[in-house]
Amino acid sequence: MTRTAETTRPQRRIFADLTPLRTSVDYRRLWIGGTISWLGQAMTALAISLQVYEITRSSFSVGLVGLFSLVPLIVFGLYGGAIADTVDRRKLGLYSSLGSAGLSIALAGAALLDYHRVWFLYAVVALQSVCGALTGPARAAMTPRLLPVEQLPAANALNTVTITAGMMVGPMLGGLTVGWWGYQAAYLIDAVTFTAALYAMWRLPSMKPDRAEGSSGRASVLDGLRFLGTRPNIRMTFFSDMAAMVLAHPRALFPAVAGLWFGGDAETVGLLVAAPAVGALLGGVFSGWHGRVRRHGVAILLAVGAWGLAIAVFGLTRNLWLGLLFLALAGYADTTSMVFRTTMLQAATPDEMRGRLQGVFIVVVAGGPRLGDFLAGTVADLTSPTVAITGGGLGCVLVLGLLALRWRGFARYDARSPQA
């Protein structure tokens, strides 16, 4: 054994496994292109919110940006998955990414022409969500075609690094860009960054779905939901995430608890929001151990349970730095859960169904936290933030335990023999 091998092997056990980037040129291009374009999208998302507020001076109007983004994402997420199971996924990803780039160019053009209309920004946000709902299932269904199944956990961990890094760095770059050069600069940078994603998609081979013999070639959303109804392990990945995001998602209460518990201000709110993202990023960076885990169901149960417990303890904490620590631990657990849930969905689903189930995945991931915000705010108004947060965390653990007892086979899931 060489000295180089001796020194690098321990790092592989700790840090993110880069094997997918080394073994698949196509995946490497897709990951790099997605990382670059995700930063641009995060810049545009912040720039749109800033522009809406500058036009209206209304926080409610800024809040509507999220609504115009969420509704198309949920509606078209399901149908985008069905389309991804019907057509060449490469072409679908290429055309929808081209549409997103065109929308960024339209935003830049409107800003350069001093055309400041809120309805126009809302319309662009909605169309961006449609493009994203088409790209997402197609892109996720490509990964199992580009990599062997044993590399999927590493690939999904790398994807979480892209997402969390973009969420942390993109808004900061967007704010600086708008402040220095205006909205049009942020939108133009976003349009340029899409070229990386477009190039990666263009270089991919054809990605037509593998269909069973005798299949009609049509992909129905209802067929996908019926398939999901016969696959308890895949259903459990969705149920476990909903338990965490609906019952134990305290984000909506951060403005209240920042002042009530920690005597802070807007900066404190920013720290509370950033802490789970920092934990999530660390979860992706220190993910080298994921590839050695075979009992993915057990890993998901432990990770979601850790999320619920960390949120429950945060609800009892009145020291800011200790609270931030538990929020970061929750973010780490969430990334771990995400990696194994995504891997199980990709490995245990036949290729002809992957697009549709990825569409359901998008709906769950997008809708769960919004329902969680509503539930946490309602319970806090009726009782107190402590009851909402700590009760929600404990409720997550309780519901998760009941789900595990109801579908006991989930804990026996073995990645070496994926069974949906």
Side-chain angles (χ1 to χ4, degrees), residues 184-380:
Q184 64 273 13
Y187 299 143
L188 282 173
I189 290 174
D190 185 19
V192 171
T193 61
F194 267 111
T195 59
L198 290 170
Y199 176 74
M201 291 282 185
W202 178 64
R203 290 295 302 272
L204 287 174
S206 175
M207 287 279 179
K208 294 181 180 179
D210 291 335
R211 298 188 179 94
E213 187 175 349
S215 173
S216 65
R218 293 181 299 174
S220 164
V221 173
L222 291 178
D223 287 343
L225 295 176
R226 291 190 191 102
F227 174 83
L228 181 60
T230 64
R231 299 300 188 269
N233 285 335
I234 296 180
R235 288 203 309 274
M236 266 293 291
T237 65
F238 296 142
F239 291 157
S240 61
D241 186 54
M242 292 295 286
M245 293 297 102
V246 175
L247 298 176
H249 194 255
R251 180 182 58 190
L253 303 183
F254 286 164
V257 303
L260 290 174
W261 294 356
F262 307 118
D265 51 16
E267 293 181 359
T268 305
V269 177
L271 289 174
L272 295 174
V273 172
V278 171
L281 180 60
L282 293 176
V285 172
F286 296 99
S287 60
W289 57 276
H290 290 173
R292 299 192 300 277
V293 176
R294 297 290 180 262
R295 303 292 291 275
H296 290 182
V298 172
I300 293 169
L301 293 173
L302 291 175
V304 175
W307 163 276
L309 290 175
I311 295 300
V313 175
F314 167 75
L316 300 174
T317 302
R318 297 300 179 267
N319 177 278
L320 176 60
W321 297 109
L322 190 59
L324 294 175
L325 173 62
F326 280 103
L327 287 176
L329 291 174
Y332 185 100
D334 186 44
T335 287
T336 303
S337 167
M338 173 74 79
V339 168
F340 289 114
R341 285 186 291 110
T342 305
T343 300
M344 186 181 291
L345 180 62
Q346 292 171 334
T349 304
D351 186 69
E352 64 177 333
M353 285 288 178
R354 281 182 182 141
R356 277 164 284 185
L357 293 196
Q358 287 293 338
V360 176
F361 184 84
I362 287 175
V363 171
V364 170
V365 170
R370 273 72 174 187
L371 290 175
D373 288 342
F374 175 75
L375 180 62
T378 302
V379 174

Side-chain angles (χ1 to χ4, degrees), residues 43 55 64 79 119 122 136 155 206 255-256 299 304-305 320 334 345 350 376 385 417:
M43 291 175 61
I55 295 171
L64 286 178
Y79 287 98
W119 71 264
Y122 287 157
S206 175
V304 175
L320 176 60
D334 186 44
L345 180 62
S417 180

